[in-house]
Amino acid sequence: HLNLQMISLHAWIATLGGGYFLCRYLSTAVLLARQQRRLALWMGDESTADKCILNEAFNYIHAGRFRVAREKIRLIMESATKREDTVV
């Protein structure tokens, strides 16, 4: 039952994050991406956690902070490669 609640919460946070991104409230969107990542890690889903970091990187790209975004993407690629995860 708790796992189902966490999955629903994860989806809700993702929807909010996308909405804040589209409205250009980038600091809030980054915060939501980080919360979503914590939740994914709590559920043991490293692939989804990496996607949350990618969402955070999109926010940094939109804000013109390309170096920060590039570093986050590099870390995601390293993490996915170690897990042999082709999803990211």
Side-chain angles (χ1 to χ4, degrees), residues 34-35 37 43 53 58 68 70 78-79 81 83 85:
R34 289 177 181 168
Q35 292 295 332
R37 180 176 186 272
M43 293 188 303
I53 296 172
F58 290 149
V68 175
R70 184 176 55 213
E78 285 179 10
S79 174
T81 300
R83 288 192 319 274
D85 185 352

Side-chain angles (χ1 to χ4, degrees), residues 18-47:
Y20 277 102
F21 175 77
L22 291 175
C23 293
R24 292 175 176 59
Y25 293 108
L26 299 179
S27 62
T28 303
V30 167
L31 176 66
L32 288 168
R34 289 177 181 168
Q35 292 295 332
Q36 187 180 12
R37 180 176 186 272
R38 285 187 195 105
L39 190 56
L41 289 173
W42 182 86
M43 293 188 303
D45 189 347
E46 291 183 48
S47 181

Side-chain angles (χ1 to χ4, degrees), residues 66-83:
F66 302 111
R67 288 183 185 171
V68 175
R70 184 176 55 213
E71 180 62 19
K72 293 202 173 286
I73 293 168
R74 187 185 65 75
L75 292 172
I76 293 167
M77 295 304 295
E78 285 179 10
S79 174
T81 300
K82 286 179 186 175
R83 288 192 319 274

